[in-house]
Amino acid sequence: MKNLLICFAIAFVAIAFTSSNPMAQGKGNSLRHVVLFKFKDTSSAEDVKKVVDAFEALPKKIKQIKAFEWGTNNSPEGLNQGLTHAFILTFNSEKDRDDYLVHPDHKVFGGIVGPHLDGVTVVDFWVDSNS
C-alpha cells in the first residue's frame, strides 16, 4: 500500500509539472492518460476481471473521459517489468483529466484496484499535432 501511495504522489507531482510547463501545453488536441498495472501474485483471475470491469465502467460514469482503450501485454521483448495491463484514457484538456482524478467514481475505483496492485505506472502526454 505504501508503494501505491508513493506512485500516486509521483503521478500528482508529474501532473503539477505538466500543468505549469508551457512546452507541454497545446501540442495537440487530445491528452492521453496511460495507466499500466502489475497485479499481485495473490490476485486471482476473478480479482483482475473485477478491476478491469470497474475500469471499463468509468467512461459511462465520468463525462470527461472522451475515449477508453485497454489490453494486456503481449510484447516479446520482456521489458514490461511485470506490468501486464495497459489502459489509455483520452481527455480534451488537462482540466478534464484533473477533474477525472478527483471524481468520486475514480476514487471508488481506487478502492477496488488498490488491494490488487503490486505496481502502477502512469504517463500523460499530449498527442503531437504533427502525427
Side-chain angles (χ1 to χ4, degrees), residues 1-130:
M1 191 64 171
K2 180 179 174 185
N3 289 339
L4 179 61
L5 292 174
I6 291 170
C7 289
F8 280 117
I10 291 169
F12 281 114
V13 169
I15 290 166
F17 174 77
T18 302
S19 296
S20 65
N21 182 353
M23 295 297 288
Q25 296 180 8
K27 284 197 77 170
N29 58 4
S30 294
L31 180 62
R32 299 288 200 264
H33 178 71
V34 180
V35 181
L36 307 171
F37 287 157
K38 176 182 179 183
F39 288 96
K40 291 180 180 177
D41 293 337
T42 56
S43 294
S44 68
E46 184 178 299
D47 293 331
V48 172
K49 182 178 181 344
K50 183 196 261 187
V51 168
V52 170
D53 289 348
F55 213 158
E56 281 186 306
L58 288 181
K60 293 177 183 136
K61 298 175 180 180
I62 303 174
K63 67 179 181 176
Q64 290 85 351
I65 300 171
K66 297 304 173 194
F68 176 87
E69 302 171 275
W70 79 274
T72 56
N73 178 52
N74 73 350
S75 173
E77 296 176 290
L79 300 174
N80 60 304
Q81 299 179 14
L83 299 161
T84 58
H85 288 66
F87 303 86
I88 303 173
L89 293 81
T90 301
F91 298 95
N92 286 335
S93 68
E94 291 172 0
K95 181 184 181 322
D96 284 353
R97 186 257 336 263
D98 295 348
D99 289 348
Y100 155 80
L101 291 174
V102 298
H103 194 282
D105 288 310
H106 182 250
K107 291 182 181 277
V108 168
F109 171 71
I112 294 168
V113 69
H116 301 291
L117 285 183
D118 192 28
V120 62
T121 298
V122 177
V123 177
D124 294 355
F125 66 94
W126 282 102
V127 175
D128 189 334
S129 58
N130 295 322

